[in-house]
Amino acid sequence: MAEKIHLTTPLYYVNAEPHLGHTYTTVVVDTLARVHRSMGRDVFFLTGTDEHGDKIAQASQARGSDPRSYADRVSAVFRSTWDTCGISYDHFVRTTDDYHVAFVREVMQKVYDAGDIYFGEYGGRYCFGCERFYADRELVDGKCPDHKTEPEWIAEENYFFRMSRYQQALLAHLEANPDLIAPAGYRNEVLGLLREPIGDLCISRPKSRLTWGIELPFDDRYVCYVWFDALINYVSALRHARPDDWQEYWAGAHHFIAKDILKPHSVFWPTILMAAGLPVYRGLHVHGYWNMGESKMSKSLGNVIRPLEMRERFGMDGFRYFLLREMAFGSDSSFTEDAFNTRFNADLSNGVGNLVSRVLAMQHKYFGGAVQPVTEDTRRVADDTLEAAFVEAETRAVAALEKAAFHVALEEIWKAVAACDKYIVEMAPFKIWKDEAERPRVGAILHVLCDALRHLARLLAPFMPETSAKIAALLRAEPGRLADPALPWGASFAPGHLVEPPEPLFPRIEVPR
Ligand code: MSP
């Protein structure tokens, strides 16, 4: 039976429309979902929207709307954006979905019955942007480090989750599972958090202040804290969509987030799971921020890049390539138009795009588009060297993906592209063509190169699915053959197989001087 795996993005707040930051995490998970599917695993890829809480209530009010119709509209924008971008999610969850609301209430009741929720008073500094209380030591100059605003002092009676009861169990779990949180810097950050008392978590908001939330099953004067509600989606949606075998997927659950929401995912969520009697997820994978200049890209700072606009201007794959190639997963990156144009022109137009065009152009110029045989007589050592470069690229790319090092995986694949360019220069088919006796060798060289393009299409598929499909279409490769890693080189195409004439894959971006 195929191994089951559950991959998640954060549930995005509906107070902003999708920008490059959301797109990055979503593209990362989409890429991995495609990798796992290609390895025969049974993937459940979950994304969706986070719709309750102060933030959304305030945003809808500011627009003169009610929270529900406002959330309906923005959630639909997220969903259609991911559809247009070709994101291969299996399920889109909304925290306003009935099944989710019902399951959150079920979990709350269970935790309450077990004695892990109590009533008490609390005063603290609250950041509405983050929807959480801040300890004084977490503030920078008295301000929220993310939103650069002063949190408001709030004191009220509320319900609390006995998170502190699970602190030792969480620490022990982290120590027993060194790969639970990656990269290691973030694991260390969490270990640091656990060196201090984590306290209990305020999990309710009085309706006198906020009504836009899930009502507590044991006190109708209160609604649930948005984070307690939202985190539970990772299980509620899975149970809903895969009722028979959700536990098997849950055993292979991997969450992908940026560092802004590390604490809720590394401290709140595992302790909630423990209290609810559910196993902790298998992996939490944390990336850095996309910045615009010095600041984090965010709706509140107003410095955003929109995915649909990028797709319109440069194609989705150009945008995907940049996101995955430019950021080292875990560290921060900057988005600049210059960096985008440079990568696009160097790696895509001059790199893959040019390679595909050259090979197809030669195939047409010399053989009317018909692939020639490779025989004992026409085969050379250099052909094996090129094949070895692809095998090595694939091995290294697979190893990099295991560490979520997408940029390294792409760098490795581009070494195979460079190996093709070198092969063309060294084999010089355009020169040896002049010698009639060498023409069968020219046929073999081009066959080997078509083979290389077939493998390139296969390796690129999870990262750049449209480009992969375009290369396959230009080669007129049968899908079964395209995907077969074991098919020997020189045997991909029957002699006489016709390939298409070249077509530009990535027209150069003209940069005004
Ligand atoms: N609703 C919560 C998450 C609940 S998960 C159960 C939330 N939503 S959010 O809309 O603010 O999304 C935050 C996430 O969006 C980040 O963790 C990251 O995945 C992505 N990003 C948004 N802006 C980003 C950057 N500027 N840089 C990198 N990723 C960012 O938090």
Side-chain angles (χ1 to χ4, degrees):
M1 215 175 42
E3 186 190 335
K4 294 188 169 59
I5 177 157
H6 177 38
L7 303 176
T8 73
T9 71
L11 292 203
Y12 304 116
Y13 284 130
V14 290
N15 67 340
E17 296 192 6
H19 60 61
L20 176 144
H22 309 118
T23 311
Y24 177 72
T25 321
T26 308
V27 162
V28 155
V29 179
D30 181 69
T31 301
L32 283 177
R34 292 172 189 271
V35 168
H36 286 293
R37 288 188 198 115
S38 78
M39 291 174 163
R41 299 191 184 116
D42 190 347
V43 175
F44 186 73
F45 169 8
L46 177 66
T47 189
T49 43
D50 188 354
E51 306 182 12
H52 290 126
D54 281 316
K55 217 200 248 289
I56 310 307
Q58 287 179 5
S60 69
Q61 219 175 13
R63 287 167 184 78
S65 173
D66 64 292
R68 189 165 297 273
S69 10
Y70 172 71
D72 283 350
R73 187 186 70 75
V74 184
S75 177
V77 171
F78 269 95
R79 190 172 183 147
S80 71
T81 299
W82 302 149
D83 288 338
T84 308
C85 292
I87 301 299
S88 64
Y89 64 87
D90 293 295
H91 188 76
F92 188 96
V93 56
R94 301 181 56 185
T95 55
T96 48
D97 284 335
D98 290 345
Y99 65 82
H100 172 74
V101 172
F103 187 63
V104 169
R105 287 165 61 87
E106 198 181 312
V107 170
M108 288 210 116
Q109 188 67 52
K110 190 170 175 191
V111 177
Y112 183 73
D113 292 344
D116 277 340
I117 291 178
Y118 64 92
F119 195 61
E121 203 190 66
Y122 184 73
R125 296 191 191 281
Y126 193 77
C127 171
F128 282 92
C130 300
E131 300 260 22
R132 75 172 179 93
F133 286 101
Y134 268 88
D136 286 345
R137 64 179 149 76
E138 292 179 288
L139 302 173
V140 178
D141 298 331
K143 292 185 175 164
C144 160
D146 254 0
H147 293 90
K148 324 266 189 241
T149 50
E150 252 175 57
E152 268 179 54
W153 180 264
I154 289 186
E156 60 199 11
E157 282 188 309
N158 267 311
Y159 284 90
F160 292 83
F161 164 50
R162 283 189 208 281
M163 194 158 73
S164 53
R165 192 177 261 180
Y166 296 93
Q167 175 156 3
Q168 282 317 311
L170 176 55
L171 188 59
H173 189 79
L174 257 172
E175 276 164 359
N177 296 277
D179 61 348
L180 190 74
I181 300 174
Y186 296 106
R187 167 188 155 82
N188 292 335
E189 206 172 311
V190 176
L191 286 171
L193 287 176
L194 294 176
R195 254 179 246 122
E196 307 276 331
I198 57 173
D200 291 340
L201 182 65
C202 178
I203 55 152
S204 66
R205 297 293 180 263
K207 279 195 190 165
S208 56
R209 176 154 82 75
L210 173 77
T211 52
W212 181 236
I214 300 178
E215 194 175 271
L216 299 192
F218 41 81
D219 189 339
D220 65 7
R221 297 172 305 153
Y222 287 86
V223 294
C224 181
Y225 169 45
V226 65
W227 271 105
F228 196 96
D229 156 0
L231 288 161
I232 293 175
N233 92 84
Y234 296 135
V235 177
S236 72
L238 185 59
R239 278 170 89 243
H240 173 75
R242 297 287 183 272
D244 300 330
D245 47 4
W246 68 271
Q247 277 114 328
E248 290 171 42
Y249 287 95
W250 183 250
H254 290 268
H255 302 311
F256 291 80
I257 59 167
K259 61 186 177 182
D260 51 346
I261 51 177
L262 176 62
K263 186 171 176 185
H265 282 82
S266 62
V267 180
F268 305 172
W269 181 222
T271 54
I272 295 171
L273 284 165
M274 287 173 179
L278 289 164
V280 172
Y281 51 76
R282 267 298 304 129
L284 178 65
H285 308 269
V286 189
H287 63 78
Y289 288 154
W290 279 97
N291 295 320
M292 287 290 274
E294 296 297 299
S295 309
K296 179 187 174 194
M297 184 180 301
S298 79
K299 151 92 190 327
S300 42
L301 299 175
N303 54 358
V304 294
I305 299 284
R306 301 283 180 203
L308 292 184
E309 200 185 313
M310 292 302 284
R311 176 181 174 275
E312 195 60 33
R313 289 177 65 192
F314 309 109
M316 194 58 205
D317 279 1
F319 188 36
R320 282 174 76 108
Y321 176 76
F322 179 79
L323 292 177
L324 295 168
R325 177 66 185 79
E326 187 74 10
M327 177 174 262
F329 192 91
S331 311
D332 292 353
S333 276
S334 255
F335 181 91
T336 66
E337 209 152 303
D338 246 11
F340 184 87
N341 294 344
T342 305
R343 279 228 180 276
F344 188 98
N345 284 343
D347 300 359
L348 300 180
S349 303
N350 295 351
V352 172
N354 185 41
L355 172 66
V356 173
S357 293
R358 271 176 100 186
V359 173
L360 295 178
M362 286 191 283
Q363 194 71 68
H364 273 267
K365 182 171 175 197
Y366 299 131
F367 299 105
V371 177
Q372 304 299 300
V374 180
T375 62
E376 284 301 307
D377 287 346
T378 55
R379 207 177 165 84
R380 302 285 183 275
V381 176
D383 307 352
D384 299 334
T385 311
L386 186 65
E387 179 175 351
F390 272 79
V391 172
E392 186 173 331
E394 184 163 6
T395 311
R396 290 179 182 228
V398 169
L401 283 175
E402 275 167 23
K403 296 194 206 116
F406 303 94
H407 68 300
V408 176
L410 286 172
E411 212 175 352
E412 292 300 336
I413 296 173
W414 256 253
K415 285 185 190 162
V417 173
C420 290
D421 289 338
K422 182 164 172 262
Y423 176 84
I424 296 176
V425 171
E426 288 176 0
M427 298 301 108
F430 35 85
K431 272 194 206 142
I432 61 174
W433 177 257
K434 289 170 198 143
D435 177 353
E436 206 144 328
E438 289 281 16
R439 291 189 177 176
R441 173 61 188 151
V442 173
I445 293 168
L446 292 177
H447 190 142
V448 167
L449 284 167
C450 284
D451 238 333
L453 296 187
R454 173 180 85 88
H455 283 278
L456 193 59
R458 191 171 66 75
L459 296 180
L460 287 181
F463 305 92
M464 305 173 78
E466 286 175 10
T467 305
S468 165
K470 272 191 206 157
I471 298 175
L474 288 170
L475 291 171
R476 296 177 65 245
E478 296 163 34
R481 287 187 154 225
L482 177 79
D484 184 354
L487 203 64
W489 279 58
S492 304
F493 303 97
H497 174 95
L498 283 176
V499 297
E500 300 288 349
E503 223 176 77
L505 291 180
F506 299 102
R508 269 184 80 78
I509 300 174
E510 292 310 329
V511 186
R513 284 177 181 270

